[in-house]
């Protein structure tokens, strides 16, 4: 365990999605990290709202907590288990999806403090998520962290299997 009581290299998150009609039949709700490191980055920078798992915390509970901390939205199930992926730096991300709607203009994120620039001794505070948005599958794949793109594919496959069986997923 890390000194902060978190399980190192383990994150949990939620992927909010909605289904509509026409060209926007499926959309994903993604978050853009706040802070100076991410300020001028777009492609590959977006993520599902996610974060660390506390010692003794159930992974789905951590995912729900992190989603609410980073968006101000209280997630409601049912939740679809998307399994886990490993990001390039080695972090394991466990994810679930849930269907719903949200106004990206009303998100309220928690804040974080970090040293910037690194090694300067200067601490700055900023929102952990600076904005969220809805994206169709093609746009989402261009913006999301490359490893997390697999979560989009898994959800699409799960929804397609549910639709072909004539039942609602979840």
């Amino acid at each position: 365990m890390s000194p902060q009581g978190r399980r190192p290299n383990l994150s949990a998150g939620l992927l909010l999605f909605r289904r509509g009609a026409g060209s926007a039949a499926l959309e994903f709700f993604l978050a853009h990290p706040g802070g100076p490191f991410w300020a001028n980055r777009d492609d590959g920078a977006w993520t599902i709202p996610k974060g660390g798992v506390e010692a003794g915390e159930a992974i789905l509970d951590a995912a729900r907590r992190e989603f609410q901390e980073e968006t101000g939205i209280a997630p409601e199930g049912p939740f679809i288990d998307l399994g886990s992926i490993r990001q390039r730096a080695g972090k394991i991300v466990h994810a679930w999806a849930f269907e719903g709607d949200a106004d990206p203009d009303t998100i309220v994120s928690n804040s974080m403090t970090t040293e910037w620039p690194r090694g300067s001794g200067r601490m700055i505070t900023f929102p952990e998520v600076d904005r969220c948005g809805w994206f169709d599958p093609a746009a989402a794949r261009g913006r999301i962290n490359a490893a997390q793109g697999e979560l989009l594919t898994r959800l699409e496959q799960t929804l397609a299997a549910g639709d072909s069986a004539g039942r609602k997923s979840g």
Side-chain angles (χ1 to χ4, degrees), residues 23-75:
S23 62
L26 180 62
E27 293 182 303
F28 303 109
F29 190 75
L30 301 179
H32 186 273
F37 181 80
W38 299 103
N40 297 316
R41 297 172 188 225
D42 193 52
D43 289 349
W46 293 70
T47 181
I48 66 170
K50 64 172 181 43
V53 179
E54 301 291 339
E57 184 178 30
I59 297 174
L60 178 55
D61 290 344
R64 295 176 72 188
R65 175 183 49 77
E66 286 289 338
F67 191 92
Q68 186 161 2
E69 287 177 1
E70 294 183 2
T71 67
I73 300 165

Side-chain angles (χ1 to χ4, degrees), residues 29 71-73 102-109 132:
F29 190 75
T71 67
I73 300 165
D103 181 351
D105 294 330
T106 63
I107 66 135
V108 177
S109 178
C132 288

